[in-house]
């Protein structure tokens, strides 16, 4: 769950790792480790704009369904 939240926050901050780490209240190194873990586990590279947009849309839809 932490890994998914890390990816979601990365996308919400427009790829700003420092800001995302601050919002998650974790050290930047912890954030970077979790983001790398997400990429390794899913093979989804969030640095690619189209992929990032698709995943951001997924997170948005998922959140709206659970409200």
């Amino acid at each position: 769950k932490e890994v998914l939240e890390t990816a979601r926050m990365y996308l919400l901050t427009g790829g700003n790792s420092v800001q995302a780490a601050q919002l998650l209240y974790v050290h930047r190194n912890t954030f970077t480790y979790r983001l790398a873990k997400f990429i390794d586990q899913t093979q989804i590279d969030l640095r690619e704009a189209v992929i990032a947009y698709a995943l951001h849309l997924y997170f948005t839809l998922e959140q709206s369904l659970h409200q």
Side-chain angles (χ1 to χ4, degrees):
K1 183 172 178 167
E2 291 175 341
V3 174
L4 282 176
E5 184 62 16
T6 299
R8 188 179 78 79
M9 194 60 65
Y10 179 78
L11 295 172
L12 286 175
T13 60
N16 186 328
S17 297
V18 173
Q19 184 181 11
Q22 290 172 344
L23 291 170
L24 290 172
Y25 301 104
V26 297
H27 191 273
R28 185 166 182 264
N29 289 344
T30 301
F31 179 84
T32 302
Y33 170 78
R34 289 180 186 172
L35 190 60
K37 189 174 179 181
F38 173 84
I39 293 169
D40 286 343
Q41 289 177 349
T42 64
Q43 299 301 306
I44 296 173
D45 188 353
L46 300 177
R47 296 168 292 188
E48 293 185 33
V50 173
I51 292 172
Y53 176 75
L55 190 58
H56 178 69
L57 182 60
Y58 167 78
F59 284 135
T60 302
L61 291 172
E62 181 183 48
Q63 185 177 18
S64 67
L65 290 174
H66 287 88
Q67 290 182 350

